[in-house]
Amino acid sequence: MKIVVLDGYTLNPGDLSWGGFEALGEFTCYERTEAQDIVSRIGDAQAVITNKTPLSRETLEACPSVQYIGVLATGYNVVDTIAAAERKIPVCNIPTYGTNSVAQMVCAHLLNICHRVQDHSNSVLKGDWSECADFCYWNSPLIELAEKTMGIIGFGRIGQATARMAQGLGMKVLAFDEYPNKDLEGEHLRYGTLEEVLAESDVISLHCPLFPSTEGIINKDSITKMKDGVIIINTSRGPLIVEQDLAEALETGKVYAAGLDVVSTEPIQKDNPLLGAKNCFITPHIAWAPREARSRLMNIAVENLKGFLSGNIENRVN
Ligand code: NAD
C-alpha cells in the first residue's frame, strides 16, 4: 500500500518517528503541500494522511486510487466527508489525545496573567532588581486565584480537566454545558446557566466546540454581563470570540486580561485587533503540541490505519 502524508511537519517536526506508518507500506511524507500540488502528490496512493491540507470532492475525483483518509487532528472539516463516503472512502480522525495538555495551557495562560513570570524575569535580567531600593518589587498586579470562580463554557473532556486543575489552585468552578452531567457536581463545582457563568466568574475559560450556536459567544453584549476585571482564556477556537469587541473591552479594562491560544484566522493576520491590545497574551495554537500529546496522536493515527487494513475500522467519522 502507498501511504502519503501531505503535511506532516506540525505533528512531527523531527522529534517523533514515522516508523509506525513506514511499517505498513510504501511511505512518503511531505512537510507541507500547497493546493496546486495536492493531486500530484497523492498520485496513486491508497492511504492519504492530512492534518490541515484540504481534500475536496474534486481532489477525490482526481485521485481514484484513494481508499482511506486519515486526519491527524480531532477536527476533520478539511475533508469533504460526504464526497468521501459516496466513494466508500472511510475518513478517520483522532477524537482525543491532548486533553491534559490543553488544560495545562489554560493554567499556563492564567498563571502568566496572575504573576507575569517571564516579564518579571526579563526585568530582573536587565538589572531592575539590582537597582531596586527594596528587597522586592512587582511591575503588574499579582493575583491569587484561591476562592475565585472559574467559569467554564463547554464542560466536556478539556473543560473537566481544566476544572480539576482550577480546583487544585483552590478555585470554585461554575460550569455551563448544553448537556450538564449533574453527577459531576460537588462542593466546589456546580453547573449554572450561561448567564450565571457570565455574571459570577472571575475567570472565564472557553471549551465548547465551534458551532453556529457558539460562534461569537463572547461579544460586546456577553462581555457587558461579566464582572469588571474578568479574565478570559480561549484555548478552544478563535471565532468563539468577536475579536474587535474583546480588544475594546481590554482597552477599557472591563476585561482585565485575555490569554488566547487560538484566533479567528490562523496564522494570525497582521491587522488582528488583538495584536497589541492591552493585557492580551497570545500563543500560536500550541496547546495540543507537547511531545507527549503529539506522540499519542501519532500512535492513534497508525492504529487507525491498521484498523482499516484489518477490517476493524475505528474512529471513522463518515
Ligand atoms: P468535548 O466534545 O469533550 O467537549 C465539548 C463540550 O462542549 C461538550 O460537553 C458539549 O456538550 C459542550 N457543548 C457543545 N455545544 C455547546 C454549547 N452551545 N454551549 C455549551 N457547551 C456546549 O471536546 P473537548 O475534547 O473538551 O475539546 C473542546 C474544544 O477544544 C474542541 O472543540 C477544540 O475546538 C478545542 N481544542 C483545542 C486545542 C488546541 O490546541 N488549542 C486542542 C484540542 C482541542
Side-chain angles (χ1 to χ4, degrees), residues 216-294:
I217 195 166
I218 302 301
N219 57 40
K220 199 179 281 262
D221 181 48
S222 56
I223 290 172
T224 307
K225 296 173 182 163
M226 295 176 194
K227 280 188 178 177
D228 291 343
V230 64
I231 294 169
I232 296 176
I233 310 288
N234 187 12
T235 57
S236 189
R237 286 292 176 262
L240 296 175
I241 295 179
V242 179
E243 292 174 332
Q244 186 62 41
D245 293 356
L246 177 59
E248 286 168 19
L250 285 162
E251 286 312 317
T252 64
K254 170 70 189 178
V255 175
Y256 168 62
L260 312 172
D261 188 52
V262 287
V263 293
S264 56
T265 304
E266 297 173 353
I268 195 165
Q269 302 295 289
K270 289 199 170 99
D271 61 354
N272 188 307
L274 293 167
L275 281 175
K278 197 159 103 192
N279 291 341
C280 188
F281 302 90
I282 308 176
T283 47
H285 202 148
I286 51 171
W288 68 286
R291 188 175 183 281
E292 292 82 352
R294 285 184 291 107

Side-chain angles (χ1 to χ4, degrees), residues 10-33:
T10 54
L11 170 61
N12 181 12
D15 56 354
L16 298 179
S17 165
W18 292 108
F21 281 114
E22 284 164 346
L24 298 177
E26 188 185 327
F27 178 77
T28 308
C29 176
Y30 297 99
E31 292 194 336
R32 305 169 187 85
T33 297

Side-chain angles (χ1 to χ4, degrees), residues 62-261:
C63 301
S65 60
V66 175
Q67 296 170 14
Y68 171 86
I69 296 171
V71 182
L72 298 172
T74 306
Y76 48 85
N77 54 304
V78 293
V79 181
D80 188 332
T81 50
I82 296 170
E86 286 170 11
R87 304 183 75 84
K88 302 202 173 4
I89 304 169
V91 178
C92 295
N93 77 335
I94 319 290
T96 173
Y97 60 92
T99 299
N100 287 317
S101 290
V102 180
Q104 186 178 309
M105 187 60 154
V106 175
C107 294
H109 268 289
L110 185 53
L111 294 176
N112 174 53
I113 287 166
C114 293
H115 298 283
R116 308 286 171 91
V117 173
Q118 183 71 58
D119 287 351
H120 281 106
S121 175
N122 289 347
S123 163
V124 170
L125 295 182
K126 83 174 171 56
D128 294 347
W129 200 11
S130 334
E131 304 291 315
C132 184
D134 302 302
F135 80 96
C136 75
Y137 67 96
W138 53 94
N139 295 333
S140 48
L142 302 171
I143 302 167
E144 184 180 88
L145 291 166
E147 300 301 323
K148 294 203 166 55
T149 298
M150 161 76 91
I152 296 184
I153 299 179
F155 207 57
R157 285 177 292 244
I158 297 173
Q160 289 170 38
T162 300
R164 287 191 288 275
M165 294 185 192
Q167 286 174 292
L169 294 166
M171 300 184 79
K172 292 174 278 186
V173 173
L174 183 56
F176 169 68
D177 197 284
E178 238 187 344
Y179 304 101
N181 173 4
K182 293 280 181 183
D183 291 344
L184 296 173
E185 287 192 326
E187 195 185 343
H188 302 294
L189 192 165
R190 68 181 172 89
Y191 281 96
T193 62
L194 179 59
E195 298 291 312
E196 285 168 336
V197 170
L198 295 175
E200 295 175 28
S201 302
D202 301 291
V203 179
I204 294 180
S205 192
L206 303 178
H207 298 289
C208 54
L210 177 63
F211 291 143
S213 60
T214 56
E215 185 166 356
I217 195 166
I218 302 301
N219 57 40
K220 199 179 281 262
D221 181 48
S222 56
I223 290 172
T224 307
K225 296 173 182 163
M226 295 176 194
K227 280 188 178 177
D228 291 343
V230 64
I231 294 169
I232 296 176
I233 310 288
N234 187 12
T235 57
S236 189
R237 286 292 176 262
L240 296 175
I241 295 179
V242 179
E243 292 174 332
Q244 186 62 41
D245 293 356
L246 177 59
E248 286 168 19
L250 285 162
E251 286 312 317
T252 64
K254 170 70 189 178
V255 175
Y256 168 62
L260 312 172
D261 188 52

